[in-house]
Amino acid sequence: MSLFADLTGSVNAVRPGRTRMRNFDMPLVIAAGTLLALGLLMVYSASIALADGPRYAAYGQYYFVIRHAAFVFIGLVAAACTVTIPIRVWQRLAVPLFMVSLVLLAAVLVPGIGREVNGAHRWIPLGPINFQPSELMKVAALLYAADYTVRKQEHMQNFGRGFLPMACALGGVGLFLLLEPDLGAFMVIVAIAIGILFLGGINGKYFSSLLGVLVGTFLLLIWASPWRRARLFAYLDPWNQDNAYGSAYQLSHSLIALGRGEWFGVGLGASIEKLHYLPEAHTDFLMAVVGEELGFVGVMLVIGLFSIIVLRGFEIGRQAIAMERTFAGMLAQGVAIWFGVQAFINMGVCLGLLPTKGLTLPLMSYGGSGVLMNLIALAMLIRVDLENRTMMRGGRA
């Protein structure tokens, strides 16, 4: 009788532990949801005064926030559909999606198909919205690099079969993006690809060589382009009178906004810089408005939320790799690299740590294609986690 009681007690002691595991990663979902909600609020605050200026006189006060809310809703619907798709399906679609994205990048440059804005050819008009293929390429490059790492695992130390094909693929992507031009998107795509290759075990010498070539290429492109060179020198001395009224105009007003915010901000909606002083306050420089209205505390909150997403992404990827799901693991860690690198560049630009570069803040900045692809990538990360948890419970992914 005592033996039966001991066995019963031990079973009862184990069973609650098995059911205690949640069906999803709560810190990841809460962090992403908070960034989406905060982004919607800050886009509303940063764009409400734009209709008072001549450029957006034809738009209403709520034009941008309504469109952003619509993009978020569409993105959430797309994310809900993405979560239902098994990771093995995404692995099969990796190469076709990469090729389709390349074709769309080329189509942007074709007169009559692509749309030009301020000298840049980055968008394809689709009725009331403009689709940006470079955002789709971020997802495609993520899937392609993860699939490439799995397919070429035995040749990752080989130059001809492990290194050269990926270098050529990145070169093709870079050619189209630099013709648009969109150097910022190319930087993020390269960071995703080489980050996954590094985690996948590529030869250290080849990795260092690729990194050196890319850094050298970026510096050459900056030096060969007068307006990029002007941005670089302006970044080094933003308070010079010529720079402050020229190439460093955005940066100087971003720094003024952050300085005004101090510790706790001037109050939600009370920003002065968003009143036509800081250009693109609702897109590339949304973080400056966050710093002005919510202060240092608000900036640290945003940094903390992105840190949670990045850390959880790497942890989910580690769990997948431990269960011999290499593609899923590389995919999850690639999403973490994407969000971490793009958020770091955007914040670094707003804080004056990096030269000015047109990149949005993931999940927060106004922009339809960006928010949509961010949510799809996040849904893939959640799907990897769901499959991990299913396998931990003894099921099949």
Side-chain angles (χ1 to χ4, degrees):
M1 185 67 179
S2 60
L3 179 60
F4 176 76
D6 291 341
L7 290 173
T8 304
S10 63
V11 170
N12 290 334
V14 172
R15 188 173 298 165
R18 290 177 179 173
T19 58
R20 206 172 290 138
M21 182 189 296
R22 294 189 180 91
N23 293 324
F24 61 94
D25 192 306
M26 183 172 287
L28 174 64
V29 173
I30 290 177
T34 304
L35 285 172
L36 276 175
L38 183 60
L40 189 63
L41 180 64
M42 296 312 301
V43 166
Y44 168 66
S45 177
S47 64
I48 192 171
L50 291 178
D52 297 332
R55 182 179 177 184
Y56 299 107
Y59 302 98
Q61 288 184 323
Y62 308 108
Y63 174 82
F64 291 101
V65 69
I66 290 174
R67 284 178 65 88
H68 186 65
F71 291 141
V72 169
F73 175 76
I74 294 171
L76 289 173
V77 173
C81 296
T82 302
V83 168
T84 65
I85 302 175
I87 295 300
R88 65 178 182 273
V89 175
W90 289 112
Q91 186 172 5
R92 290 198 296 267
L93 294 174
V95 175
L97 184 60
F98 184 79
M99 300 306 296
V100 169
S101 300
L102 271 180
V103 171
L104 290 175
L105 284 180
V108 167
L109 303 172
V110 177
I113 297 179
R115 181 190 177 197
E116 179 184 350
V117 178
N118 297 327
H121 300 264
R122 302 178 185 175
W123 299 269
I124 296 177
L126 298 175
I129 64 174
N130 295 308
F131 178 69
Q132 193 169 356
S134 60
E135 294 295 337
L136 176 62
M137 178 52 79
K138 292 176 184 177
V139 175
L142 168 70
L143 293 169
Y144 181 77
D147 177 61
Y148 183 89
T149 302
V150 175
R151 288 188 289 108
K152 300 286 186 176
Q153 192 65 51
E154 298 179 357
H155 308 291
M156 294 301 283
Q157 301 296 317
N158 184 280
F159 178 82
R161 302 183 66 180
F163 169 79
L164 193 58
M166 177 56 78
C168 292
L170 289 178
V173 173
L175 177 63
F176 289 124
L177 287 175
L178 294 177
L179 288 174
E180 292 185 4
D182 195 349
L183 183 60
F186 184 43
M187 291 172 62
V188 175
I189 290 168
V190 166
I192 294 170
I194 66 173
I196 292 176
L197 288 177
F198 176 75
L199 295 172
I202 193 173
N203 183 286
K205 293 181 180 179
Y206 300 151
F207 176 79
S208 301
S209 300
L210 177 61
L211 196 59
V213 169
L214 290 172
V215 171
T217 302
F218 287 140
L219 293 177
L220 181 62
L221 288 170
I222 291 172
W223 188 258
S225 176
W227 62 273
R228 287 195 181 109
R229 193 165 63 246
R231 277 188 171 186
L232 177 61
F233 288 124
Y235 148 76
L236 296 174
D237 188 11
W239 301 116
N240 180 285
Q241 184 173 350
D242 294 334
N243 294 336
Y245 288 100
S247 299
Y249 183 83
Q250 279 182 302
L251 175 57
S252 59
H253 280 278
S254 175
L255 295 175
I256 292 171
L258 291 164
R260 290 191 73 248
E262 297 184 354
W263 287 100
F264 300 102
V266 297
L268 188 63
S271 168
I272 298 297
E273 286 298 319
K274 71 183 181 183
L275 303 177
H276 308 286
Y277 293 104
L278 176 62
E280 308 299 334
H282 60 304
T283 56
D284 301 347
F285 283 83
L286 187 67
M287 195 65 178
V289 180
V290 173
E292 185 178 6
E293 296 189 350
L294 304 181
F296 177 79
V297 173
V299 172
M300 291 307 299
L301 172 64
V302 173
I303 293 175
L305 292 171
F306 275 111
S307 298
I308 292 173
I309 291 177
V310 172
L311 291 175
R312 293 309 304 156
F314 276 109
E315 177 60 21
I316 291 169
R318 186 197 64 79
Q319 291 172 353
I321 293 172
M323 290 184 282
E324 300 182 352
R325 303 176 62 232
T326 307
F327 175 80
M330 293 293 101
L331 175 61
Q333 295 182 348
V335 173
I337 293 171
W338 173 1
F339 278 64
V341 169
Q342 186 164 333
F344 173 77
I345 293 175
N346 178 275
M347 294 178 191
V349 167
C350 292
L351 295 171
L353 301 176
L354 297 172
T356 303
K357 177 43 54 198
L359 274 178
T360 57
L361 190 61
L363 298 175
M364 291 187 66
S365 292
Y366 174 83
S369 302
V371 172
L372 175 62
M373 295 305 159
N374 289 161
L375 288 170
I376 288 176
L378 195 63
M380 291 179 183
L381 176 58
I382 293 173
R383 177 68 196 194
V384 173
D385 178 59
L386 291 174
E387 293 186 1
N388 287 348
R389 292 170 187 265
T390 300
M391 292 186 68
M392 290 177 187
R393 292 188 176 97
R396 297 180 62 185

PDB file of all heavy atoms in Angstrom, residues 53 70 79 134 171 212 229 233 245 278 290 304 322 333 336 380 396:
ATOM      1  N   GLY A  53       1.098  71.479 -42.646  1.00  0.00           N
ATOM      2  CA  GLY A  53       2.132  71.960 -43.554  1.00  0.00           C
ATOM      3  C   GLY A  53       1.703  71.838 -45.006  1.00  0.00           C
ATOM      4  O   GLY A  53       0.757  71.111 -45.338  1.00  0.00           O
ATOM      5  N   ALA A  70      -4.209  50.244 -40.274  1.00  0.00           N
ATOM      6  CA  ALA A  70      -4.646  49.275 -41.292  1.00  0.00           C
ATOM      7  C   ALA A  70      -3.516  48.319 -41.649  1.00  0.00           C
ATOM      8  O   ALA A  70      -3.726  47.107 -41.787  1.00  0.00           O
ATOM      9  CB  ALA A  70      -5.122  50.021 -42.539  1.00  0.00           C
ATOM     10  N   ALA A  79       0.286  37.409 -40.153  1.00  0.00           N
ATOM     11  CA  ALA A  79       1.047  36.685 -39.135  1.00  0.00           C
ATOM     12  C   ALA A  79       0.260  35.481 -38.619  1.00  0.00           C
ATOM     13  O   ALA A  79       0.825  34.403 -38.399  1.00  0.00           O
ATOM     14  CB  ALA A  79       1.395  37.618 -37.981  1.00  0.00           C
ATOM     15  N   SER A 134      12.250  45.377 -51.318  1.00  0.00           N
ATOM     16  CA  SER A 134      13.418  45.181 -50.463  1.00  0.00           C
ATOM     17  C   SER A 134      13.021  44.626 -49.097  1.00  0.00           C
ATOM     18  O   SER A 134      13.795  43.906 -48.461  1.00  0.00           O
ATOM     19  CB  SER A 134      14.182  46.490 -50.287  1.00  0.00           C
ATOM     20  OG  SER A 134      13.369  47.487 -49.702  1.00  0.00           O
ATOM     21  N   GLY A 171      25.849  39.344 -53.864  1.00  0.00           N
ATOM     22  CA  GLY A 171      26.263  40.325 -54.851  1.00  0.00           C
ATOM     23  C   GLY A 171      25.133  40.714 -55.791  1.00  0.00           C
ATOM     24  O   GLY A 171      24.972  41.891 -56.134  1.00  0.00           O
ATOM     25  N   GLY A 212      35.328  41.738 -44.602  1.00  0.00           N
ATOM     26  CA  GLY A 212      36.237  42.792 -45.027  1.00  0.00           C
ATOM     27  C   GLY A 212      35.865  43.372 -46.375  1.00  0.00           C
ATOM     28  O   GLY A 212      35.900  44.594 -46.572  1.00  0.00           O
ATOM     29  N   ARG A 229      28.851  60.938 -48.959  1.00  0.00           N
ATOM     30  CA  ARG A 229      30.050  61.471 -48.314  1.00  0.00           C
ATOM     31  C   ARG A 229      29.703  62.698 -47.471  1.00  0.00           C
ATOM     32  O   ARG A 229      30.225  62.889 -46.367  1.00  0.00           O
ATOM     33  CB  ARG A 229      31.086  61.817 -49.383  1.00  0.00           C
ATOM     34  CG  ARG A 229      32.469  62.085 -48.826  1.00  0.00           C
ATOM     35  CD  ARG A 229      33.524  62.072 -49.915  1.00  0.00           C
ATOM     36  NE  ARG A 229      33.331  63.133 -50.906  1.00  0.00           N
ATOM     37  CZ  ARG A 229      33.024  62.921 -52.178  1.00  0.00           C
ATOM     38  NH1 ARG A 229      32.877  61.684 -52.637  1.00  0.00           N
ATOM     39  NH2 ARG A 229      32.881  63.932 -53.012  1.00  0.00           N
ATOM     40  N   PHE A 233      30.425  63.207 -43.357  1.00  0.00           N
ATOM     41  CA  PHE A 233      31.131  64.316 -42.731  1.00  0.00           C
ATOM     42  C   PHE A 233      30.202  65.137 -41.836  1.00  0.00           C
ATOM     43  O   PHE A 233      30.626  65.671 -40.807  1.00  0.00           O
ATOM     44  CB  PHE A 233      31.776  65.195 -43.802  1.00  0.00           C
ATOM     45  CG  PHE A 233      32.960  64.563 -44.474  1.00  0.00           C
ATOM     46  CD1 PHE A 233      33.001  64.409 -45.846  1.00  0.00           C
ATOM     47  CD2 PHE A 233      34.024  64.096 -43.723  1.00  0.00           C
ATOM     48  CE1 PHE A 233      34.092  63.815 -46.464  1.00  0.00           C
ATOM     49  CE2 PHE A 233      35.122  63.499 -44.321  1.00  0.00           C
ATOM     50  CZ  PHE A 233      35.161  63.354 -45.694  1.00  0.00           C
ATOM     51  N   TYR A 245      22.406  73.142 -41.191  1.00  0.00           N
ATOM     52  CA  TYR A 245      21.373  73.612 -42.115  1.00  0.00           C
ATOM     53  C   TYR A 245      21.397  72.852 -43.436  1.00  0.00           C
ATOM     54  O   TYR A 245      20.684  73.206 -44.369  1.00  0.00           O
ATOM     55  CB  TYR A 245      21.548  75.106 -42.381  1.00  0.00           C
ATOM     56  CG  TYR A 245      21.173  75.966 -41.201  1.00  0.00           C
ATOM     57  CD1 TYR A 245      22.160  76.474 -40.367  1.00  0.00           C
ATOM     58  CD2 TYR A 245      19.840  76.246 -40.913  1.00  0.00           C
ATOM     59  CE1 TYR A 245      21.830  77.263 -39.271  1.00  0.00           C
ATOM     60  CE2 TYR A 245      19.497  77.024 -39.821  1.00  0.00           C
ATOM     61  CZ  TYR A 245      20.493  77.532 -39.003  1.00  0.00           C
ATOM     62  OH  TYR A 245      20.160  78.299 -37.915  1.00  0.00           O
ATOM     63  N   LEU A 278      11.573  68.444 -37.499  1.00  0.00           N
ATOM     64  CA  LEU A 278      12.258  67.174 -37.730  1.00  0.00           C
ATOM     65  C   LEU A 278      11.594  66.432 -38.886  1.00  0.00           C
ATOM     66  O   LEU A 278      10.476  65.931 -38.741  1.00  0.00           O
ATOM     67  CB  LEU A 278      12.220  66.319 -36.462  1.00  0.00           C
ATOM     68  CG  LEU A 278      12.818  64.918 -36.561  1.00  0.00           C
ATOM     69  CD1 LEU A 278      14.306  64.984 -36.892  1.00  0.00           C
ATOM     70  CD2 LEU A 278      12.607  64.148 -35.250  1.00  0.00           C
ATOM     71  N   VAL A 290       9.976  59.670 -29.551  1.00  0.00           N
ATOM     72  CA  VAL A 290       9.855  58.892 -28.309  1.00  0.00           C
ATOM     73  C   VAL A 290      10.737  59.500 -27.228  1.00  0.00           C
ATOM     74  O   VAL A 290      10.307  59.679 -26.082  1.00  0.00           O
ATOM     75  CB  VAL A 290      10.252  57.419 -28.557  1.00  0.00           C
ATOM     76  CG1 VAL A 290      10.302  56.645 -27.233  1.00  0.00           C
ATOM     77  CG2 VAL A 290       9.275  56.746 -29.512  1.00  0.00           C
ATOM     78  N   GLY A 304      14.750  47.954 -24.144  1.00  0.00           N
ATOM     79  CA  GLY A 304      14.507  46.740 -23.366  1.00  0.00           C
ATOM     80  C   GLY A 304      13.579  45.769 -24.079  1.00  0.00           C
ATOM     81  O   GLY A 304      13.810  44.551 -24.071  1.00  0.00           O
ATOM     82  N   ALA A 322      19.235  22.275 -30.708  1.00  0.00           N
ATOM     83  CA  ALA A 322      19.463  21.181 -29.760  1.00  0.00           C
ATOM     84  C   ALA A 322      18.588  19.973 -30.076  1.00  0.00           C
ATOM     85  O   ALA A 322      18.960  18.836 -29.761  1.00  0.00           O
ATOM     86  CB  ALA A 322      19.203  21.667 -28.336  1.00  0.00           C
ATOM     87  N   GLN A 333      17.167  32.420 -35.175  1.00  0.00           N
ATOM     88  CA  GLN A 333      18.272  33.305 -34.837  1.00  0.00           C
ATOM     89  C   GLN A 333      18.470  34.375 -35.896  1.00  0.00           C
ATOM     90  O   GLN A 333      18.909  35.488 -35.589  1.00  0.00           O
ATOM     91  CB  GLN A 333      19.542  32.478 -34.616  1.00  0.00           C
ATOM     92  CG  GLN A 333      19.426  31.562 -33.405  1.00  0.00           C
ATOM     93  CD  GLN A 333      20.677  30.757 -33.120  1.00  0.00           C
ATOM     94  OE1 GLN A 333      21.589  30.701 -33.941  1.00  0.00           O
ATOM     95  NE2 GLN A 333      20.730  30.130 -31.957  1.00  0.00           N
ATOM     96  N   ALA A 336      16.162  37.155 -35.024  1.00  0.00           N
ATOM     97  CA  ALA A 336      16.747  37.926 -33.926  1.00  0.00           C
ATOM     98  C   ALA A 336      17.819  38.886 -34.447  1.00  0.00           C
ATOM     99  O   ALA A 336      17.890  40.051 -34.027  1.00  0.00           O
ATOM    100  CB  ALA A 336      17.339  36.977 -32.884  1.00  0.00           C
ATOM    101  N   MET A 380       6.991  33.617 -37.957  1.00  0.00           N
ATOM    102  CA  MET A 380       7.860  32.467 -38.197  1.00  0.00           C
ATOM    103  C   MET A 380       8.617  32.087 -36.931  1.00  0.00           C
ATOM    104  O   MET A 380       8.772  30.897 -36.614  1.00  0.00           O
ATOM    105  CB  MET A 380       8.851  32.788 -39.316  1.00  0.00           C
ATOM    106  CG  MET A 380       8.243  32.924 -40.693  1.00  0.00           C
ATOM    107  SD  MET A 380       9.505  33.324 -41.925  1.00  0.00           S
ATOM    108  CE  MET A 380       8.490  33.506 -43.394  1.00  0.00           C
ATOM    109  N   ARG A 396       5.051  15.675 -32.606  1.00  0.00           N
ATOM    110  CA  ARG A 396       5.854  15.896 -33.814  1.00  0.00           C
ATOM    111  C   ARG A 396       5.703  17.319 -34.244  1.00  0.00           C
ATOM    112  O   ARG A 396       4.616  17.907 -34.177  1.00  0.00           O
ATOM    113  CB  ARG A 396       5.418  14.950 -34.932  1.00  0.00           C
ATOM    114  CG  ARG A 396       5.613  13.482 -34.618  1.00  0.00           C
ATOM    115  CD  ARG A 396       5.149  12.625 -35.763  1.00  0.00           C
ATOM    116  NE  ARG A 396       5.921  12.881 -36.981  1.00  0.00           N
ATOM    117  CZ  ARG A 396       5.650  12.328 -38.139  1.00  0.00           C
ATOM    118  NH1 ARG A 396       4.627  11.465 -38.258  1.00  0.00           N
ATOM    119  NH2 ARG A 396       6.395  12.588 -39.203  1.00  0.00           N
TER     120      ARG A 396
END
